[in-house]
Amino acid sequence: MATRMSVHARLSRRRGTMLKPFQDEGYAVFSAFLDNAEIDTLKAAVDRHAAAEPQRHAYEYDEIGALTWHPRVGEIVDELMGGRYVFHHIHAARHDAGTKGVSWHQDYVQYPQTNRSHLMVHVFFYLNGLNGSVGDLLLVPGSQRFAVDSHALSFMGDSDLPGSITVDDVSPGSMLIVHSGMWHARRAKPGGEDSPRFFIDASYCQSGVKWPSYSRAPGMLANLRERHVESGGTRPWLFDEDQFFDAARARQTLGSLQGSVLLDLPQWQTS
């Protein structure tokens, strides 16, 4: 059975002390990270995003886009990365009562999945917190160490896995930083008619290798870089397109290969 954990009792980490726990467990929790004004502003933006027809990309909303360079988030990600890194994507959603769950998966982007040499993190914001309604967050601490296909365990649905924990008690405005390679899921729960599950996630990739691009939003990095600079930001390198390669082309190339991929590398080919 999965372990249920309360952020107030056991999960909270403070800046300067969370690096070792993150390396060991693959996640860190910051209770009530956003203040009330930030929560209200972001909830209003997520409401507009959820109601838009057709739905726009989350980064296009001023308040959500600016979250990608939030100074306090940057301080913590700086500590984890230990050097330069780049922004990958940001999503936002309002999960109303009755929202379905999401099967086990991991979000580390790599084609093919072979190693975890460089760090990628997802930053989860729960604007209304988590209270055991609508959906619980499920995690398997330590699972980030293994390079596995992103959906290899989707057949398990949201069933408990060995060592899995359930996060269902975090205060409004809390932030979780999770290693992108960690197995996680969302388990649907009843209730929430008067309190939707407001969720935003942003991700960042450690520099040193090229990462697969976020191909669903072409032009996103240039747009955010321009807005960041116009706002007085000093980190345009967060949105450096040169740190990425074409993910769509990579998927197409891998899909056409047969046999051992290693044999298609130039140093293994003979004339």
Side-chain angles (χ1 to χ4, degrees):
M1 178 179 293
T3 302
R4 177 165 284 100
M5 304 186 75
S6 165
V7 67
H8 304 294
R10 297 181 60 189
L11 291 183
S12 293
R13 305 287 186 240
R14 292 292 179 263
R15 219 177 106 239
T17 65
M18 48 76 73
L19 187 57
K20 178 70 163 62
F22 180 91
Q23 291 175 334
D24 291 343
E25 303 168 9
Y27 70 95
V29 182
F30 297 82
S31 182
F33 181 83
L34 300 173
D35 62 35
N36 289 336
E38 291 173 317
I39 292 170
D40 291 343
T41 297
L42 287 167
K43 283 170 67 173
V46 175
D47 273 334
R48 296 198 303 273
H49 177 54
E53 292 291 346
Q55 195 170 72
R56 298 161 58 191
H57 292 292
Y59 79 87
E60 297 179 88
Y61 295 87
D62 291 341
E63 303 87 349
I64 298 173
L67 194 59
T68 64
W69 61 80
H70 191 292
R72 298 199 317 276
V73 176
E75 290 176 3
I76 295 168
V77 179
D78 286 352
E79 182 182 355
L80 288 176
M81 296 293 185
R84 284 289 177 91
Y85 55 93
V86 287
F87 164 80
H88 190 263
H89 71 263
I90 189 166
H91 297 149
R94 187 188 66 209
H95 301 142
D96 297 314
T99 297
K100 295 181 179 179
V102 177
S103 299
W104 287 104
H105 63 285
Q106 58 89 4
D107 292 322
Y108 192 95
V109 289
Q110 190 179 53
Y111 301 110
Q113 297 277 340
T114 56
N115 60 71
R116 297 292 181 258
S117 64
H118 290 69
L119 180 60
M120 180 179 185
V121 299
H122 274 60
V123 183
F124 297 160
F125 298 93
Y126 295 98
L127 305 183
N128 268 356
L130 294 174
N131 58 14
S133 69
V134 184
D136 294 340
L137 172 65
L138 311 180
L139 301 171
V140 183
S143 59
Q144 74 278 1
R145 300 186 183 96
F146 307 100
V148 185
D149 181 78
S150 301
H151 297 283
L153 294 180
S154 61
F155 70 95
M156 293 292 295
D158 61 6
S159 301
D160 292 340
L161 297 180
S164 63
I165 64 173
T166 299
V167 183
D168 62 357
D169 178 21
V170 296
S171 56
S174 291
M175 177 182 76
L176 282 75
I177 297 185
V178 178
H179 191 298
S180 301
M182 179 180 292
W183 287 102
H184 60 285
R186 183 176 76 237
R187 177 174 291 155
K189 297 290 289 291
E193 287 79 7
D194 299 322
S195 181
R197 186 181 189 267
F198 284 91
F199 176 66
I200 300 175
D201 76 273
S203 69
Y204 302 88
C205 304
Q206 187 177 36
S207 297
V209 295
K210 285 203 171 188
W211 294 86
S213 64
Y214 184 70
S215 55
R216 284 181 282 175
M220 174 184 65
L221 293 176
N223 178 275
L224 285 172
R225 183 172 60 248
E226 180 179 355
R227 288 157 57 187
H228 173 68
V229 173
E230 287 179 351
S231 72
T234 59
R235 295 185 163 202
W237 44 265
L238 275 174
F239 311 104
D240 181 9
E241 293 97 337
D242 289 341
Q243 296 291 305
F244 299 94
F245 63 86
D246 187 344
R249 181 183 176 190
R251 285 192 294 268
Q252 182 179 18
T253 299
L254 281 178
S256 67
L257 297 177
Q258 298 181 13
S260 297
V261 174
L262 177 69
L263 299 181
D264 287 281
L265 297 177
Q267 58 266 41
W268 284 84
Q269 296 175 3
T270 58
S271 57

